Amino acid sequence: MQAAKDNDSGEAEPFYSLSVPGHKTSAEIVNEARVALRTLRTQRPLTPAGDQRKLFGSGSSQTPQSRPPSVFSLHASSFDVTESRPMPGIRLSPLDPKPMLPAFAKDEDSSLPKPPADAAEVRKVSSARPCLFRRPQGNFLSAEMVPLDHSLEGETRIDQLEEEEIFWHVKILPILHELDSEDNTANLCLACTKLYQALKEGNLLGRRFEGRSMLLKTLYKLVDIESDPLRLKLAKIILAMKVAGKNLLSVCKLAFQICRNDRNDPIVQNEGLLDHLLEVLRTEDLQKNSEALLYCMGAIKFMSGNAALLNEMVDKGAVEMLLQLMKQMNNITGNDTHFSSLGHLLVQLTATLRTLAACPAARRQLLGAAAASELGVALELRAEDREVCACILSIFSKLSSYDDFCAASADCSRCYSIFLALLNKHQKQQDVVVRIVFILGNLTANSNQAREQFFRHKGSINTLLSLFQTYHDLDVNAQKQCHEREGAGESCPKHPSEAEDVQIKVIRVLANLSVHPSIGAALAASHRVVELLVAVLVLLKLLMSNNVDGAVEAVRGFGNLSQYHEICDFIVQKKAYKFMIALLDSKNQDVCFSACGVLLNLTAEQDKGALLMEEGGIGKLVECLQDFGPADWQLACLICKALWNYSENITSAASCFGEETNTLLLLLTSLLDEELVWNCSLNRDLRDYHKLYWEREFKPVAEKLLQRIQSHH
């Protein structure tokens, strides 16, 4: 529905203070007032001059700027941080950092007439001026006079209008007089509360009547008072009156300024401002009131930083409302004159959705509304707008950190096309690239369907390899510069650098893809992938000393691809296995897990098992089993499998395991003692999971290994 227009008539004429002969009952007072009002129905109402029709100016035209998975497929967590208020670099244009307060019109003679002492005086008022209320035309009371309807329905409506006019003079006008004469801010706030309640009681909120202009002018004059609680109450009433045009823009600016201060969150929630702002989003025309919607959306974005207000948004259907608004914007093509300006609004909208995406209830609504599809359309249409792209990609980043979203989006072929197009378009824009590759890593972490969808897109692997090469070159150059600065006594940036971050995430995607049997085989046979692994060897030495997460992802790449004979030969040829053995000393559980995976695949080939004898590999595996065994039965199982493969041709335990033989015998015996194992300090919440894995995976392999060693001891 459309908001009412504020071009109704202006000032009221003064009331006349006449004597009242004797006391009368309420019924008599109302009856006399009705008779007096009926005599005026055919009179022409007072028509204000043109300059009196203008309620208040548009205000400042300036604009605000910013307020356990499969063995080798580890699911990374999101790197985004929720923003409650705008951070530096986030576009809020055309919003001003501190928008000027709306410029409200003030008549020279702005005094209000003195309200009547009681309802009886309404009769005297009515004889001096035309009635404030007229017969309805459509949803609102019309300014045009219509012939009297003497039917029963017409008489009933006349009675209703007369009662409304009495209500205006008795209930509303005294409060306006109080607002016009009061100086104390606390008293003004109380008066505003009474006014809102009275307007609601009289069913006058959002309706048209002659006194509306007088009421709004009274409110506009109070906005200059430096009090956010008062301004909040004024904004609430003005929004509830459903103002339009420049007046709507001004009150949305006012709401924006109030909400940008998080100290106002409690009073914003108590006053129920969110309801009125959501109503603006729901009802106002997108193209006619885009600037007002921008400030309105900015205010809602600020509110989303408060947990209580965020939950209130979800409960009141804000998610669906925002998606509908986004859909409207997606229907506006790039040839439309409004397309560019709506980008500012889309930044605010998507920033709000990004915050909502962290809320479980909102996330379920996003899934139910198939938000991925609409977000994908917006991303495609706004590919040239980096800030819009960054906000939408942040939403995908958050959502893709949850398995339910990844499962629902696994077959979204269009999303993969859009992601690849953006990667090729913005290849050197690290903030865009790192988000997209992070999302792809999440989507392909646990789903073969997602792996297949991505792999089928033409040029998908070449795009990843090209990205890796680009950022690897940047990283090498950065390292050279770093060494030069260190030589000059200057410090170097912390790791991982932006270039390293992209490389880590690209490797993660390739590692996830290689879990798929046919895709893994194709990657292992790719000459460019093998070249990438050579680059990874250089990268690993750097990462291990500076960034454990990078080492985990890089070694996972080796782990998944080392299922294939060609890659194992490559690892041996380049002596990469020595580095894997060295990683066992890292004392990091995840790094050891990935390194053990590579060593397990190497020992599965008969001619490569002896490699564990080099670099003290057997001793380091036994140490890892001792350090992490009771806390990580998956890792313990990998170690036992690697030792089982290694000892396949055993003739003597001493010659096979050397000085580690007795330690290994004692360790396996203790780890197979169920009573001893469950006396360890394990997390109670994970006890059932540990026990199940111990019984099904670790125990069978460890028992066979123990028997083999004992039989050859």
Side-chain angles (χ1 to χ4, degrees):
M1 90 191 195
Q2 295 298 324
K5 303 295 181 184
D6 294 328
N7 58 356
D8 42 0
S9 54
E11 319 170 321
E13 295 180 2
F15 290 102
Y16 294 97
S17 178
L18 302 178
S19 60
V20 181
H23 296 285
K24 298 184 180 181
T25 65
S26 297
E28 289 174 328
I29 293 171
V30 171
N31 187 56
E32 288 186 11
R34 287 174 176 169
V35 172
L37 287 169
R38 286 172 181 169
T39 63
L40 298 172
R41 291 300 174 189
T42 57
Q43 296 182 27
R44 181 177 180 83
L46 172 67
T47 302
D51 59 344
Q52 292 175 318
R53 292 180 182 271
K54 184 177 180 182
L55 298 186
F56 62 110
S58 62
S60 172
S61 60
Q62 299 179 19
T63 54
Q65 298 180 20
S66 82
R67 184 190 169 270
S70 59
V71 174
F72 294 112
S73 181
L74 304 180
H75 200 293
S77 59
S78 174
F79 54 85
D80 288 308
V81 178
T82 301
E83 300 168 2
S84 60
R85 293 303 189 270
M87 300 296 288
I90 298 298
R91 180 181 70 187
L92 293 177
S93 179
L95 304 179
D96 291 323
K98 187 175 181 181
M100 295 175 62
L101 289 175
F104 301 106
K106 296 180 181 179
D107 297 337
E108 291 185 8
D109 181 14
S110 58
S111 60
L112 289 169
K114 183 178 179 181
D118 56 43
E121 287 197 41
V122 176
R123 178 170 58 84
K124 306 173 185 62
V125 173
S126 298
S127 65
R129 65 183 301 275
C131 63
L132 291 173
F133 295 91
R134 297 184 174 87
R135 295 193 178 195
Q137 188 177 55
N139 293 330
F140 299 104
L141 295 177
S142 171
E144 297 297 328
M145 294 298 293
V146 296
L148 283 174
D149 183 355
H150 294 290
S151 65
L152 180 60
E153 181 180 349
E155 289 297 320
T156 302
R157 183 56 183 152
I158 291 173
D159 290 344
Q160 181 183 349
L161 293 175
E162 292 165 355
E163 290 174 1
E164 287 176 342
E165 183 152 359
I166 294 170
F167 184 87
W168 167 265
H169 287 290
V170 174
K171 287 292 188 74
I172 305 298
L173 205 54
I175 303 176
L176 296 184
H177 191 273
E178 181 181 353
L179 288 171
D180 194 53
S181 59
E182 181 62 63
D183 293 326
N184 183 275
T185 302
N187 291 338
L188 287 171
C189 287
L190 290 174
C192 285
T193 300
K194 289 192 297 182
L195 178 60
Y196 182 85
Q197 292 171 346
L199 290 168
K200 186 176 181 181
E201 178 187 347
N203 195 28
L204 298 178
L205 292 174
R207 295 181 58 188
R208 301 201 63 79
F209 50 89
E210 282 191 43
R212 172 187 170 93
S213 177
M214 179 195 304
L215 184 151
L216 290 172
K217 285 179 182 178
T218 303
L219 300 178
Y220 298 153
K221 290 187 295 184
L222 299 174
V223 173
D224 290 335
I225 298 175
E226 291 286 341
S227 168
D228 279 355
L230 176 59
R231 288 172 176 170
L232 174 58
K233 289 179 180 291
L234 294 170
K236 175 183 175 180
I237 299 173
I238 296 169
L239 284 169
M241 294 300 295
K242 298 189 182 300
V243 295
K246 293 181 179 179
N247 297 351
L248 176 63
L249 172 59
S250 293
V251 72
C252 287
K253 286 182 178 180
L254 183 60
F256 174 86
Q257 185 168 342
I258 293 167
C259 293
R260 73 177 297 119
N261 186 345
D262 57 2
R263 288 176 294 184
N264 289 332
D265 286 350
I267 59 173
V268 166
Q269 184 179 11
N270 290 337
E271 288 295 329
L273 182 64
L274 177 62
D275 291 325
H276 301 286
L277 294 178
L278 290 178
E279 180 69 7
V280 171
L281 289 187
R282 189 180 67 83
T283 60
E284 294 301 328
D285 185 274
L286 176 61
Q287 299 192 39
K288 291 181 180 178
N289 296 304
S290 60
E291 190 176 0
L293 289 174
L294 172 62
Y295 282 93
C296 177
M297 192 67 249
I300 293 174
K301 192 268 180 185
F302 289 143
M303 289 185 188
S304 69
N306 179 280
L309 286 167
L310 184 69
N311 290 329
E312 187 178 341
M313 287 182 195
V314 177
D315 293 339
K316 292 179 176 177
V319 172
E320 182 179 357
M321 203 176 298
L322 295 182
L323 289 176
Q324 285 297 321
L325 187 58
M326 181 187 291
K327 188 173 184 178
Q328 291 181 47
M329 284 189 273
N330 286 343
N331 289 331
I332 297 175
T333 65
N335 297 325
D336 194 291
T337 54
H338 293 86
F339 181 82
S340 178
S341 62
L342 289 177
H344 304 298
L345 174 58
L346 193 56
V347 169
Q348 297 299 303
L349 189 153
T350 51
T352 306
L353 281 177
R354 176 182 58 196
T355 307
L356 284 164
C359 175
R363 193 164 61 250
R364 287 192 293 270
Q365 293 180 22
L366 288 168
L367 285 175
S373 176
E374 210 61 58
L375 288 167
V377 173
L379 192 59
E380 188 173 25
L381 290 172
R382 304 280 175 173
E384 300 291 340
D385 193 325
R386 284 185 59 186
E387 290 175 88
V388 172
C389 287
C391 285
I392 295 177
L393 291 173
S394 291
I395 298 172
F396 273 109
S397 296
K398 287 183 177 294
L399 292 176
S400 67
S401 297
Y402 300 92
D403 291 338
D404 51 359
F405 179 84
C406 291
S409 306
D411 61 348
C412 184
S413 178
R414 186 177 185 182
C415 289
Y416 296 114
S417 298
I418 295 169
F419 291 150
L420 286 169
L422 286 173
L423 284 175
N424 288 313
K425 186 178 186 65
H426 301 294
Q427 191 167 107
K428 293 188 177 181
Q429 294 176 7
Q430 191 269 351
D431 59 332
V432 173
V433 170
V434 77
R435 280 188 171 94
I436 296 176
V437 182
F438 175 80
I439 295 164
L440 292 173
N442 287 345
L443 293 175
T444 58
N446 296 308
S447 170
N448 267 342
Q449 185 181 9
R451 295 163 188 151
E452 291 169 3
Q453 284 283 352
F454 178 77
F455 187 73
R456 287 173 186 166
H457 279 81
K458 184 179 179 180
S460 57
I461 300 302
N462 286 337
T463 297
L464 291 178
L465 296 176
S466 176
L467 282 174
F468 184 90
Q469 189 62 55
T470 297
Y471 283 89
H472 178 68
D473 293 343
L474 290 172
D475 193 29
V476 170
N477 292 332
Q479 289 303 312
K480 290 179 181 178
Q481 296 175 8
C482 181
H483 290 314
E484 292 174 0
R485 286 197 296 268
E486 286 178 339
E490 299 177 10
S491 59
C492 290
K494 294 182 179 180
H495 294 277
S497 66
E498 292 183 349
E500 289 170 354
D501 199 18
V502 172
Q503 293 175 83
I504 291 166
K505 288 176 171 59
V506 170
I507 294 170
R508 176 176 174 242
V509 176
L510 291 170
N512 290 343
L513 293 172
S514 64
V515 173
H516 190 286
S518 59
I519 298 175
L523 292 176
S526 168
H527 179 68
R528 288 195 68 188
V529 172
V530 174
E531 288 180 338
L532 180 146
L533 289 177
V534 174
V536 168
L537 287 176
V538 178
L539 179 66
L540 276 175
K541 295 176 182 178
L542 169 67
L543 291 176
M544 200 54 235
S545 60
N546 297 294
N547 183 263
V548 174
D549 291 338
V552 171
E553 295 297 347
V555 178
R556 280 185 62 239
F558 279 103
N560 291 338
L561 293 173
S562 62
Q563 301 172 67
Y564 304 99
H565 175 75
E566 296 82 0
I567 301 300
C568 286
D569 287 344
F570 168 78
I571 291 173
V572 173
Q573 178 187 353
K574 298 294 182 180
K575 299 188 182 301
Y577 66 90
K578 293 187 176 182
F579 190 69
M580 299 300 161
I581 293 173
L583 289 176
L584 297 176
D585 283 331
S586 67
K587 302 302 180 184
N588 180 281
Q589 194 169 331
D590 292 331
V591 172
C592 289
F593 183 89
S594 297
C596 283
V598 177
L599 296 175
L600 170 60
N601 290 336
L602 286 175
T603 58
E605 300 196 4
Q606 291 184 353
D607 60 335
K608 296 181 176 63
L611 296 174
L612 288 183
M613 292 294 292
E614 300 183 27
E615 309 295 327
I618 299 299
K620 291 177 180 179
L621 284 173
V622 173
E623 285 182 12
C624 281
L625 184 61
Q626 191 168 14
D627 291 341
F628 302 117
D632 189 342
W633 294 114
Q634 282 184 303
L635 175 56
C637 185
L638 279 182
I639 295 171
C640 289
K641 286 181 178 180
L643 293 174
W644 174 265
N645 290 344
Y646 160 74
S647 62
E648 183 177 7
N649 299 318
I650 186 174
T651 56
S652 165
S655 61
C656 186
F657 296 104
E659 60 184 15
E660 304 296 335
T661 303
N662 289 332
T663 302
L664 186 56
L665 281 171
L666 291 173
L667 184 57
L668 288 172
T669 301
S670 64
L671 292 177
L672 287 169
D673 184 342
E674 185 171 357
E675 183 178 351
L676 182 62
V677 168
W678 302 128
N679 285 334
C680 295
S681 56
L682 294 175
N683 188 325
R684 291 182 178 274
D685 295 334
L686 297 177
R687 186 179 296 274
D688 291 340
Y689 170 77
H690 276 270
K691 185 175 182 180
L692 183 64
Y693 201 93
W694 179 86
E695 290 176 343
R696 293 185 178 181
E697 301 291 334
F698 173 77
K699 185 179 178 181
V701 178
E703 285 180 338
K704 289 182 179 180
L705 180 60
L706 179 61
Q707 291 171 4
R708 174 180 283 181
I709 297 173
Q710 288 174 334
S711 64
H712 291 85
H713 191 41

